Amino acid sequence: MSRTTRYRLVGLGAGAVLLATAALPAPAHAEEVTDYAIAVDPSATGPAIPRTMYGVFFEDINRAADGGLYAELVQNRSFEYSTADNASYTPLTSWTVSGTARAADDSGRLNERNRTYLALAAGSSVTNAGYNTGIAVRDGERYDFSVWARAEAGATLTVSLQDSGGPLATARRIAVKKNGWAKYKATFTATRTSTTGRLTVAADGAAALDMVSLFPRDTYKHEPNGLRKDLAEKVAALRPGFVRFPGGCLVNTGSMRDYSEASGWQRKRSYQWKDTVGPVEQRATNANFWGYNQSYGLGYYEYFRFAEDIGAMPLPVVPALVTGCGQNQAVADDALLERHIQDTLDLIEFANGPATSTWGKVRARMGHPKPFHLTHIEVGNEENLPAEFFARFQRFRAAVQAKYPYMKVVSNSGPDDSGTTFDTAWKLNRDAKVDMVDEHYYNSPQWFLQNNDRYDSYDRQGPKVFLGEYASQGNAFKNGLAEAAFMTGLERNADVVRLASYAPLFANEDYVQWRPDLVWFNNHASWGSANYEVQKLFMTNVGDRVVPSTATGTPSVSGPITGAVGLSTWNTSAAFDDVRVTGADGSPLLGDDFSGDASKWTHTGAGSWAVQDGRYVQTDDTAENTMVQAGDPSWHDYDLHVKATKKSGKEGFLVAFGVKDTGNYFWWNLGGWNNTQSAVEQAVDGGKSTLMTKAGSVETGRAYDIDVKVRGRQVTLYLDGEEWGSFTDDKPAEPFRQVVTRDAKTGELIVKVVNAQSAAARTAIDLGGAEVASRARATTLAAAPDAVNSETSTAVAPRTSTVTGIAGKFTYTFPANSITFLRIKEKQ
């Protein structure tokens, strides 16, 4: 009898090792050798999973609204683009003029809130370039054109749709009458398909134009102010339990004043719902926080309708009058605060009030007499000033619950998964018995694999958790695997985590401010990322209740933290000196006082480094991650000393240790986040997560003594001789995770298993005596870790199959790098 050896990969990344195990051919009646075991207890009762468990978060980032979900094909249709939105903008951005035309801001405007219009001279024309490569049309489909126009002596407009190959539809002629502003309409039928179309409006007499619009007739559910069908359908296919909107940083940045003459027609405002309802030509414009203009054509009414259309709970977010996202100011204007509180009460009336109420009447006039059944509302987003935020939050909550006691008012815990702000915010929320707290975090795949148990220890009697924003810093399948592993922990703790949504939702590939994103698109196509496929698998196979289960883990071998050392800056110029690295026994490993050159250092990042006056200086105060590194990647158990001085710029400086390469290291970030806090971050394969954080800033011109002591996996940090903090990096990144739920409607157990490693996992599954059918349906996502989906290739897609041999006890091999859902029918 010959003896064979099986190998399996244990762990992930640099810590992965191959374990050899002896595998003897087994007798036919014996159980096969397995890597893991899952034990299910079908008689025990786990937490119920709410229908709203998984949802989506829509924010107008990456051109998610105009040029995205909002189906309007004309960019800058109302000539309202401004340098307030983007330094490169003018009222004629995306328009080309032939002849004479000017943007006018005077008493001849369409209305007070639509302040700019186009004055077009006789014999002149303007052409719009649309978004991306142009206006996309499809052969045989209809497109509705409209424009508000006036002409003192009357005029005829010729409206055409063409690309470089010629006309895309028969041109339309519109007679503009003499009696002031009026809305004119026409319809085009595309004669061929194009993604590079242009819309031209020509006038034979002098005319004023505003709200130049082209909409596809085939929008999602509603027209004429509808949603782009393919994008809306991708969201609907997720079957989300809720839609959180409109932000995000849009809610808690900029001025809290209104759009009026009294405010000087303030452009850089927080998102305020009253600006976004009513006729589209009367809605305000605004400078989007992410660097472009937002027209508010997609507003609160459209959000509510969309949530209703896809069967999701609406969850709006209103400003708390404490800015965030790097602005961090508390607004000290009690009258303004009271106005925003009243706006929030009015919002609830708009959503739920009878059609005879003040704001219910506005909703009814827009086409929806029945209420939208709003039950949750969130106040604020990621505020970094927890005490100031919470004082204001309490006033919102008191006012809302006094008038609408059924309403759940959601708070938040700041922008990070841990740290001083997080701890302070959670204590305030807990002490005040808040209904629900919104947590946000964007971390590395490693962090998500390490923190499956995050909510196991949360107080079951405390506030519930809304995980409103999370993602693992990438759109490759390895990111989806890590997120899936984490989601099994969310479901296991469904009595604490009541809502969860990946973020952001959309990204136009030509206008990206943030990565990763769930759904990508351009002007003619859209595609779900690998992460989208993971979310869809979980969101369409939730179940009603968790069935308690346990699983064996992956043996891991973990040595000490190893790596070289590094220096870096971020939007800052800084000088470094007196670098010393010594072993635990005091032996010198590296010394550099920069009295000569910098030949010991390798520049692996951005920026500009030079030795100046006996110090190593990074001089570019706009460059990000300017890393230089020195030493041996195999170093371990050492002491690092650095003297660092900020010279200029927005932040402080960074001192790295455990540097393996450009994507794998630890660094102490002093004066980060616009010089508001310091933190230790860990980068794994390019994705960073925060291990610890404290508030604090770095003074310009002051020399700081920085010491880092590395012993095994324990790290202690000293600032100017005083201990700043310490941590132990010993949490395993478990690649094998599972959860089991029951679907009462179908009578099925759903066994959900994530195998985030590059070896198959032969698993013994014990269903605890449950009587089950011999066949099950398996849905599997399996791909290479670096696989990504694109417009032309879907490398990550579900495969469904029928599995035989299912019994109370059975074995199943979960493929390498896979997520598998087994739906197993229980016998009654």
Side-chain angles (χ1 to χ4, degrees):
M1 185 180 294
S2 65
R3 181 185 177 100
T4 61
T5 302
R6 295 173 62 244
Y7 288 88
R8 61 188 176 92
L9 187 68
V10 176
L12 292 176
V17 296
L18 282 172
L19 297 185
T21 58
L24 295 173
H29 63 274
E31 292 187 0
E32 296 183 65
V33 174
T34 56
D35 302 302
Y36 298 93
I38 297 173
V40 183
D41 186 355
S43 64
T45 301
I49 306 174
R51 186 193 67 81
T52 53
M53 174 76 181
Y54 295 121
V56 294
F57 165 46
F58 180 93
E59 179 176 9
D60 188 358
I61 184 174
N62 309 314
R63 287 247 183 231
D66 295 333
L69 183 62
Y70 187 48
E72 176 63 75
L73 297 173
V74 175
Q75 183 175 177
N76 190 18
R77 68 181 177 186
S78 194
F79 309 101
E80 296 291 339
Y81 276 28
S82 164
T83 53
D85 310 323
N86 186 295
S88 68
Y89 282 0
T90 75
L92 288 172
T93 293
S94 81
W95 293 94
T96 302
V97 175
S98 176
T100 302
R102 64 180 178 86
D105 179 1
D106 56 33
S107 59
R109 63 177 64 89
L110 179 60
N111 60 64
E112 281 295 289
R113 290 162 70 82
N114 195 331
R115 301 192 61 77
T116 308
Y117 65 95
L118 186 75
L120 189 63
S124 300
S125 66
V126 286
T127 298
N128 191 265
Y131 296 93
N132 301 91
T133 56
I135 293 172
V137 297
R138 293 192 178 162
D139 187 18
E141 294 195 3
R142 291 188 293 174
Y143 297 85
D144 292 322
F145 171 83
S146 65
V147 62
W148 283 81
R150 63 175 170 79
E152 298 302 324
T156 298
L157 303 180
T158 300
V159 187
S160 58
L161 194 57
Q162 69 285 323
D163 63 10
S164 60
L168 293 169
T170 302
R172 296 287 183 251
R173 290 170 62 83
I174 296 172
V176 178
K177 301 174 184 178
K178 301 178 185 180
N179 56 352
W181 286 104
K183 187 175 183 179
Y184 299 90
K185 300 178 181 179
T187 298
F188 291 98
T189 299
T191 54
R192 56 190 177 86
T193 297
S194 176
T195 61
T196 58
R198 299 290 187 268
L199 179 74
T200 297
V201 181
D204 67 355
L209 308 179
D210 208 341
M211 297 295 291
V212 182
S213 173
L214 187 68
F215 256 84
R217 176 71 59 86
D218 189 20
T219 58
Y220 185 75
K221 299 284 189 180
H222 303 287
E223 53 91 17
N225 195 49
L227 305 181
R228 180 170 149 176
K229 194 172 184 179
D230 63 324
L231 295 181
E233 286 177 341
K234 279 188 169 54
V235 178
L238 295 170
R239 288 187 243 155
F242 66 88
V243 179
R244 176 178 179 245
F245 62 90
C249 289
L250 302 187
V251 168
N252 68 337
T253 53
S255 169
M256 299 294 165
R257 300 180 72 190
D258 62 2
Y259 190 60
S260 67
E261 186 176 6
S263 72
W265 304 105
Q266 176 63 249
R267 290 288 289 255
K268 294 187 175 182
R269 308 183 315 284
S270 62
Y271 195 111
Q272 300 174 42
W273 79 271
K274 288 180 180 178
D275 288 340
T276 77
V277 297
V280 290
E281 70 273 9
Q282 295 177 16
R283 299 183 190 182
T285 187
N286 204 0
N288 182 293
F289 173 80
W290 299 106
Y292 51 89
N293 176 274
Q294 56 192 102
S295 73
Y296 288 145
L298 175 58
Y300 258 70
Y301 177 78
E302 289 76 25
Y303 287 127
F304 278 125
R305 286 297 294 257
F306 184 45
E308 181 180 70
D309 287 340
I310 62 178
M313 176 182 80
L315 206 167
V317 187
V318 298
L321 273 71
V322 177
T323 58
C325 302
Q327 296 182 0
N328 302 334
Q329 297 290 323
V331 178
D333 183 333
D334 199 63
L336 189 57
L337 175 61
E338 285 298 326
R339 194 267 285 174
H340 276 266
I341 292 172
Q342 184 60 49
D343 281 354
T344 301
L345 297 175
D346 292 344
L347 171 60
I348 298 170
E349 183 176 281
F350 175 79
N352 293 352
T356 54
S357 64
T358 300
W359 287 100
K361 189 179 299 181
V362 173
R363 181 194 70 237
R365 281 200 303 263
M366 295 183 73
H368 201 282
K370 294 182 179 179
F372 283 117
H373 306 295
L374 180 66
T375 58
H376 291 62
I377 195 164
E378 183 171 356
V379 177
N381 170 75
E382 293 188 7
E383 282 72 25
N384 233 328
L385 303 172
E388 292 87 340
F389 159 73
F390 204 73
R392 289 157 178 78
F393 171 84
Q394 289 276 59
R395 292 177 62 176
F396 277 88
R397 183 171 71 149
V400 169
Q401 294 188 334
K403 189 168 184 179
Y404 302 102
Y406 62 85
M407 190 67 58
K408 291 193 179 299
V409 185
V410 181
S411 181
N412 75 80
S413 58
D416 300 304
D417 62 86
S418 60
T420 304
T421 296
F422 179 88
D423 293 340
T424 302
W426 256 105
K427 184 177 189 310
L428 291 167
N429 286 308
R430 193 178 299 110
D431 291 348
K433 296 181 169 54
V434 167
D435 287 321
M436 186 174 288
V437 178
D438 187 2
E439 294 188 354
H440 295 176
Y441 37 82
Y442 298 91
N443 289 322
S444 67
Q446 175 98 346
W447 185 94
F448 283 93
L449 291 173
Q450 289 175 322
N451 284 277
N452 173 276
D453 63 350
R454 175 180 176 87
Y455 297 106
D456 290 0
S457 59
Y458 270 50
D459 180 5
R460 267 46 206 171
Q461 306 308 312
K464 302 306 179 186
V465 172
F466 171 22
L467 179 50
E469 298 182 33
Y470 72 97
S472 72
Q473 301 176 344
N475 275 146
F477 188 50
K478 63 186 176 186
N479 300 98
L481 284 167
E483 290 154 7
F486 188 74
M487 292 169 77
T488 65
L490 300 183
E491 291 193 8
R492 187 175 65 251
N493 290 285
D495 56 330
V496 169
V497 183
R498 307 299 284 175
L499 307 170
S501 51
Y502 180 102
L505 177 58
F506 286 125
N508 185 318
E509 65 176 351
D510 292 332
Y511 308 93
V512 181
Q513 292 87 39
W514 186 280
R515 298 171 188 269
D517 304 285
L518 203 63
V519 176
W520 289 79
F521 65 92
N522 51 38
N523 64 350
H524 62 279
S526 59
W527 56 97
S529 64
N531 318 67
Y532 173 88
E533 295 297 343
V534 170
Q535 293 291 321
K536 186 177 180 182
L537 182 60
F538 274 83
M539 292 167 78
T540 56
N541 293 277
V542 181
D544 309 289
R545 186 174 291 278
V546 174
V547 180
S549 60
T550 58
T552 55
T554 306
S556 61
V557 177
S558 183
I561 292 174
T562 61
V565 298
L567 311 170
S568 190
T569 60
W570 200 286
N571 289 326
T572 306
S573 171
F576 299 87
D577 197 6
D578 193 21
V579 179
R580 297 192 306 272
V581 182
T582 55
D585 60 0
S587 59
L589 300 175
L590 173 70
D592 204 335
D593 61 5
F594 303 105
S595 57
D597 58 26
S599 57
K600 297 176 182 177
W601 298 84
T602 301
H603 186 187
T604 59
S608 179
W609 290 85
V611 174
Q612 298 177 2
D613 301 323
R615 299 188 299 178
Y616 202 19
V617 182
Q618 198 291 113
T619 55
D620 186 346
D621 62 10
T622 64
E624 298 179 348
N625 192 3
T626 63
M627 178 87 82
V628 291
Q629 62 188 67
D632 190 331
S634 67
W635 281 350
H636 60 87
D637 298 288
Y638 57 77
D639 296 305
L640 165 63
H641 171 81
V642 180
K643 190 179 289 291
T645 306
K646 174 182 175 177
K647 293 173 67 67
S648 66
K650 296 180 179 178
E651 303 203 348
F653 32 73
L654 304 105
V655 175
F657 53 95
V659 180
K660 293 182 172 64
D661 52 47
T662 56
N664 295 274
Y665 54 84
F666 298 83
W667 68 17
W668 188 2
N669 185 349
L670 290 135
W673 295 269
N674 286 321
N675 206 16
T676 61
Q677 58 183 308
S678 299
V680 178
E681 297 176 279
Q682 181 182 16
V684 177
D685 294 334
K688 288 201 294 292
S689 54
T690 301
L691 303 183
M692 59 184 304
T693 182
K694 291 184 179 181
S697 59
V698 167
E699 298 174 25
T700 302
R702 175 182 165 186
Y704 291 85
D705 282 304
I706 299 163
D707 291 276
V708 180
K709 179 180 180 180
V710 182
R711 295 293 185 274
R713 303 205 70 80
Q714 170 80 30
V715 178
T716 309
L717 307 114
Y718 301 87
L719 186 63
D720 289 334
E722 299 289 330
E723 183 174 331
W724 181 86
S726 63
F727 69 92
T728 303
D729 179 47
D730 61 355
K731 201 167 189 179
E734 173 59 59
F736 186 86
R737 295 291 188 184
Q738 60 81 38
V739 69
V740 180
T741 64
R742 177 178 278 119
D743 188 330
K745 185 176 181 180
T746 64
E748 293 171 314
L749 293 174
I750 312 174
V751 179
K752 311 175 186 183
V753 177
V754 181
N755 181 29
Q757 57 187 332
S758 297
R762 186 71 175 165
T763 305
I765 300 174
D766 184 346
L767 297 179
E771 294 288 328
V772 296
S774 61
R775 293 172 176 263
R777 188 168 83 253
T779 304
T780 304
L781 290 172
D786 292 326
V788 296
N789 289 346
S790 67
E791 179 183 353
T792 57
S793 173
T794 306
V796 180
R799 296 193 308 275
T800 302
S801 60
T802 299
V803 179
T804 59
I806 303 297
K809 293 182 180 181
F810 66 99
T811 59
Y812 190 87
T813 299
F814 296 98
N817 301 307
S818 70
I819 305 160
T820 305
F821 281 26
L822 296 173
R823 296 192 71 112
I824 303 171
K825 188 79 172 178
E826 292 185 276
K827 293 181 179 178
Q828 300 302 316

